Amino acid sequence: MGSRADDEGTDVTSYRKALTDTVHADTPTGAPEQLLTLLDRLGFERQTLATAGPVYIWHEAPGHLDEAAKNQLATHAVPWLHKAGYMVHITDDVWDSAAYPDAATAMRNQNAPAPPPAVAAARTTERPPGTRRR
């Protein structure tokens, strides 16, 4: 088991997992914590799988987002990753050409990376898992 980033020689490879609506942001095996933390801050959720060999780490767009918001999240991350010096590959089925200019503008106007507005709004309006309305 490897990652697409290992296979493609990139720092981050964003794609939709086959036969699902899950958007992945794969990093190479042994990726630096700095890169993993940046993806966390950009709104992706970190996943890990410990094996007898390496520990595999990847990121996914939050499952509660719709397809458009997942694509916006992946596209929004690209300028931030480039600014940090990382090489990114994002597949056409995830790329949102309308979201990219907004993401680039947001990057220029903000000092700290943040998820796109649609993702940030979903985070603040949803109840945490396992909670109920009283």
Side-chain angles (χ1 to χ4, degrees):
M1 175 179 181
S3 78
R4 282 208 178 169
D6 286 328
D7 296 341
E8 296 181 9
T10 61
D11 296 308
V12 178
T13 298
S14 293
Y15 64 96
R16 187 172 319 282
K17 186 176 177 184
L19 305 175
T20 73
D21 68 345
T22 304
V23 172
H24 278 246
D26 284 2
T27 53
T29 305
E33 181 61 32
Q34 184 177 357
L35 171 56
L36 303 175
T37 299
L38 178 56
L39 289 167
D40 296 339
R41 292 177 64 197
L42 289 168
F44 286 96
E45 295 177 342
R46 191 184 302 203
Q47 309 293 320
T48 60
L49 174 65
T51 68
V55 174
Y56 293 101
I57 301 173
W58 69 96
H59 284 76
E60 296 178 2
H64 67 273
L65 299 177
D66 64 21
E67 183 176 338
K70 289 177 183 179
N71 293 354
Q72 289 171 3
L73 174 68
T75 301
H76 176 86
V78 172
W80 287 103
L81 291 162
H82 284 166
K83 180 179 180 181
Y86 297 111
M87 184 173 22
V88 180
H89 176 252
I90 182 168
T91 59
D92 290 341
D93 63 330
V94 176
W95 179 254
D96 183 338
S97 60
Y100 185 79
D102 292 339
T105 299
M107 185 208 52
R108 283 191 300 273
N109 294 334
Q110 296 173 357
N111 289 330
V119 175
R123 282 185 173 175
T124 59
T125 59
E126 292 190 2
R127 290 190 305 268
T131 61
R132 296 184 296 198
R133 183 177 292 231
R134 295 182 190 230

